[in-house]
Amino acid sequence: MKRIKLILILLLAAFIGGPAFSQEAKVSWEDMREEYQFPAWYTEARFGIWVHWGAQTEPMQGGGWYARHMYQQDVGRQKWGKNAYAYHNKTYGHPSIIGYKDVLNEWKAENLDTDALVKYFKQLGAKYFVALANHHDHFDNFNSTYHPWNSVNMGPKRDIIKEFELSCAKYDMPYGVSSHDDRFLSWWLPAFGADTSGVYKDVPYDGYMTVEDGEGKWWEGLNPADLYGLPPEKRTPEYIEEVKRNWALRHTELVTKYDIDMLWFDGYGFPYDEYGKQVCEAFFNHKLEKNGEVDAVIAGKISEEPLLVKDIERGGADEILPYPWQGITTLRTWFYKEDPENLAYKQNARTIIELLADYMSKNGNLLLNVELKGDGTIPAEQKVMLDDIGAWVNLNSEAIYATKPWVIYGDNLDSYLRSDDSGVTETDIQALKEQQKSGHFNERTIESPEYGHDEVRFVTKGDVLYVIVLNPKAGDIELSSLGRNSKQKVGKITSVEMIGSNDQIGFNQMAEKLVLSVPSERPNNFAAVFKIKGVL
């Protein structure tokens, strides 16, 4: 009914606006807020894949903020970028001569095959795909009319966002793009610095270069100020407004020229406030005009905005949320790097599966980043993990797609705190509890204490309750929430099956608890999923 109302609003606006409709008579954000519903393709997906991938993957070391850290002899507390300056000097040259603008042109993405990637991600069980449109480096991975520093004009000389769009259409995969660009002016300030010691002491970095400096070079005719911004001392209020207007033009083009289904923003609010909101409004109106309904999603770290999916970076909700939300994570680091300190993985197949189960039980999706190498290929060691994740997702698909939370999200919670040999002190317990409440950056990793063998998560579909045993071990587990007299008011269990097995599963539902027998033979080494009927 709500979508019908929205269509009527659109038709009325078209009637009133006449020929000028596309420029003037749009549905307002406020009207959208009253009528919008999150599309089923997203709320039922539960699992998506993202390639957080761009020119900053070209240097093999230097952390995920290479473009910024290469201009800093000392990165302070941001130790994950400590190799950038030294690596850049050794590999490319001194940043007063050869800067990030030149790194952009070194990036060729020579082995990128978007068809093969999207096909593979779909085979893993991902139900939507997201590509990075631009990062804090202010470089567009699409054919931008309003920004010359883009992947079509230099580097790969390919419209990466368009190629992924066509591949997603080919494999019927909803397609999203991510934007991280609204902080570039402050993020780029180190490009206007200089060494504080050494041979190049006080020699300005290439942030100060002008169009004239490019004469006879590969970037002849391009203005570095369009990439780095004007030098800080020249940034007037009028210039700042022009930057915001340009951002809005670029992103309006992104969401209207390309056939996308999802727009993801970094940061903690609408990019550039009203400018960001205008782009969101333009995106939804474009989808409404094209498809007759707003079958699209906008996600961001924005609270109290009912039209947006709440995005949580490297973390998740600590309770069932009444609205769709999304946790984003990566196996190691956001951009592929081979820094010595970045070689250790923070996640593996086991922990990603556990995160997916936890997020689903709380009404969330998991968006997993795949760290493509600079050439556009998947690292071999990460593909092994992805294959394991995909095998689990495909095996347990009925307990993933289109599932909903139950009245509680789990049982035997915080089981790792009950173990006598966990090594977790009272101080650790309090810190863990506070971390769980924090949302962002609260996710469990490989280094987290393992779940107890009886901790579970719940999801439902129709008349079935799925019980996901996070860290299964052969033997009986007790679930008080499924006892006949529990506060959840459950029904009498009529059958229990383990997905992927034909063996009979033993169980005993008593007044105070359900005793569930976890078999020693299971379809894989990860979370075990039990299908229970009669409870709901």
Side-chain angles (χ1 to χ4, degrees):
M1 179 60 74
K2 286 187 174 182
R3 292 190 178 184
I4 293 174
K5 290 181 181 178
L6 200 53
I7 293 170
L8 290 175
I9 292 172
L10 177 66
L11 292 173
L12 179 61
F15 177 77
I16 295 172
F21 164 70
S22 61
Q23 286 76 36
E24 298 177 4
K26 298 294 184 181
V27 180
S28 72
W29 188 255
E30 287 67 29
D31 284 336
M32 291 276 188
R33 188 181 288 132
E34 292 296 320
E35 306 297 339
Y36 175 75
Q37 290 182 341
F38 294 99
W41 70 257
Y42 181 81
T43 59
E44 296 180 358
R46 294 307 181 205
F47 178 49
I49 283 182
W50 182 17
V51 288
H52 187 284
W53 178 69
Q56 288 184 89
T57 56
E58 173 60 26
M60 298 298 287
Q61 295 187 19
W65 283 7
Y66 181 90
R68 174 181 171 88
H69 288 146
M70 58 160 279
Y71 293 102
Q72 295 178 274
Q73 287 178 296
D74 181 1
V75 296
R77 294 179 297 175
Q78 295 171 347
K79 298 301 183 185
W80 38 274
K82 67 181 181 180
N83 293 334
Y85 175 84
Y87 181 87
H88 186 86
N89 276 266
K90 180 181 178 180
T91 308
Y92 304 105
H94 192 266
S96 64
I97 303 169
I98 299 177
Y100 182 68
K101 68 183 187 311
D102 302 287
V103 174
L104 289 172
N105 203 44
E106 294 294 317
W107 180 47
K108 302 303 181 185
E110 61 272 22
N111 293 317
L112 175 66
D113 184 340
T114 59
D115 274 1
L117 287 171
V118 172
K119 180 181 180 181
Y120 173 63
F121 297 149
K122 185 163 186 174
Q123 288 172 345
L124 294 180
K127 289 296 186 181
Y128 59 104
F129 170 77
V130 179
L132 184 142
N134 48 46
H135 198 248
H136 311 319
D137 62 352
H138 198 48
F139 182 75
D140 286 344
N141 282 339
F142 58 96
N143 191 17
S144 178
T145 302
Y146 304 98
H147 189 42
W149 294 87
N150 65 66
S151 63
V152 176
N153 290 342
M154 63 197 69
K157 295 191 175 179
R158 299 169 65 173
D159 190 338
I160 291 167
I161 293 301
K162 186 65 176 180
E163 290 184 35
F164 274 123
E165 174 204 311
L166 295 175
S167 296
C168 285
K170 181 176 181 178
Y171 292 103
D172 194 25
M173 178 83 85
Y175 178 42
V177 294
S178 68
S179 170
H180 313 240
D181 182 59
D182 59 312
R183 68 181 73 176
F184 89 94
L185 282 176
S186 59
W187 197 81
W188 266 131
L189 289 178
F192 298 94
D195 284 4
T196 57
S197 60
V199 177
Y200 288 93
K201 181 182 179 183
D202 296 329
V203 178
Y205 296 145
D206 75 323
Y208 280 104
M209 285 188 176
T210 63
V211 175
E212 290 72 27
D213 293 312
E215 187 173 347
K217 298 183 174 64
W218 75 264
W219 51 279
E220 185 171 5
L222 290 168
N223 188 352
D226 289 335
L227 177 66
Y228 303 123
L230 284 176
E233 62 272 17
K234 295 184 178 181
R235 296 178 182 179
T236 63
E238 292 76 17
Y239 170 72
I240 300 299
E241 282 303 306
E242 180 54 36
V243 165
K244 295 177 181 179
R245 284 192 290 269
N246 178 262
W247 180 94
L249 287 170
R250 288 162 53 219
H251 286 78
T252 299
E253 180 176 50
L254 175 65
V255 300
T256 55
K257 185 169 79 174
Y258 297 87
D259 188 11
I260 66 173
D261 303 293
M262 179 178 180
L263 176 62
W264 183 98
F265 288 129
D266 206 350
Y268 294 86
F270 284 109
Y272 296 130
D273 300 320
E274 286 302 311
Y275 289 96
K277 193 173 178 182
Q278 289 170 16
V279 169
C280 291
E281 187 175 285
F283 177 40
F284 274 5
N285 270 284
H286 173 72
K287 299 297 284 190
L288 183 59
E289 188 173 345
K290 180 181 178 183
N291 300 332
E293 61 179 356
V294 184
D295 52 351
V297 169
I298 300 172
K301 301 167 189 173
I302 305 172
S303 300
E304 299 179 358
E305 175 48 74
L307 273 72
L308 271 60
V309 169
K310 180 178 181 179
D311 190 84
I312 304 178
E313 182 173 352
R314 301 207 78 150
D318 65 343
E319 61 183 351
I320 298 173
L321 298 181
Y323 46 79
W325 63 274
Q326 173 176 273
I328 60 171
T329 194
T330 187
L331 292 170
R332 188 173 56 172
T333 185
W334 286 114
F335 283 119
Y336 179 83
K337 292 293 170 193
E338 295 182 357
D339 297 285
E341 67 272 25
N342 279 342
L343 292 178
Y345 281 90
K346 297 179 175 64
Q347 303 289 349
N348 59 19
R350 173 184 65 83
T351 58
I352 292 297
I353 289 167
E354 291 170 355
L355 288 176
L356 175 57
D358 183 61
Y359 293 177
M360 292 190 304
S361 72
K362 299 169 182 174
N363 202 31
N365 287 6
L366 172 65
L367 181 62
L368 173 63
N369 176 47
V370 173
E371 299 160 35
L372 297 184
K373 291 183 175 181
D375 68 352
T377 59
I378 300 172
E381 69 276 14
Q382 294 193 21
K383 187 176 183 302
V384 172
M385 299 183 202
L386 291 169
D387 286 345
D388 284 341
I389 294 167
W392 188 90
V393 169
N394 283 291
L395 172 69
N396 296 290
S397 60
E398 67 172 277
I400 299 172
Y401 310 131
T403 55
K404 297 180 180 179
W406 192 37
V407 292
I408 57 174
Y409 68 83
D411 204 340
N412 298 319
L413 303 178
D414 299 327
S415 55
Y416 54 90
L417 301 180
R418 302 196 304 268
S419 173
D420 293 335
D421 59 355
S422 68
V424 180
T425 67
E426 184 62 34
T427 301
D428 293 332
I429 291 174
Q430 292 306 315
L432 286 166
K433 288 181 177 179
E434 288 303 313
Q435 183 186 40
Q436 288 172 350
K437 296 177 183 178
S438 65
H440 298 289
F441 306 104
N442 72 353
E443 71 182 4
R444 290 169 53 81
T445 68
I446 292 171
E447 297 179 353
S448 301
E450 290 188 354
Y451 285 111
H453 298 300
D454 62 349
E455 183 157 353
V456 305
R457 294 293 182 267
F458 300 120
V459 293
T460 69
K461 184 189 290 182
D463 63 350
V464 175
L465 176 71
Y466 294 96
V467 178
I468 306 171
V469 183
L470 298 171
N471 184 21
K473 180 181 179 181
D476 291 344
I477 63 172
E478 299 178 355
L479 304 174
S480 61
S481 58
L482 296 181
R484 289 297 302 276
N485 294 338
S486 74
K487 293 187 294 184
Q488 283 67 49
K489 299 180 180 179
V490 302
K492 183 180 178 180
I493 295 175
T494 57
S495 68
V496 177
E497 303 172 25
M498 182 172 67
I499 294 180
S501 172
N502 293 322
D503 294 340
Q504 187 173 355
I505 302 301
F507 69 95
N508 183 15
Q509 185 185 28
M510 296 176 278
E512 70 279 8
K513 62 189 175 185
L514 166 68
V515 179
L516 177 66
S517 295
V518 178
S520 58
E521 295 294 326
R522 299 184 296 276
N524 57 43
N525 296 322
F526 306 115
V529 184
F530 295 86
K531 180 178 181 179
I532 299 182
K533 291 187 175 181
V535 170
L536 304 181

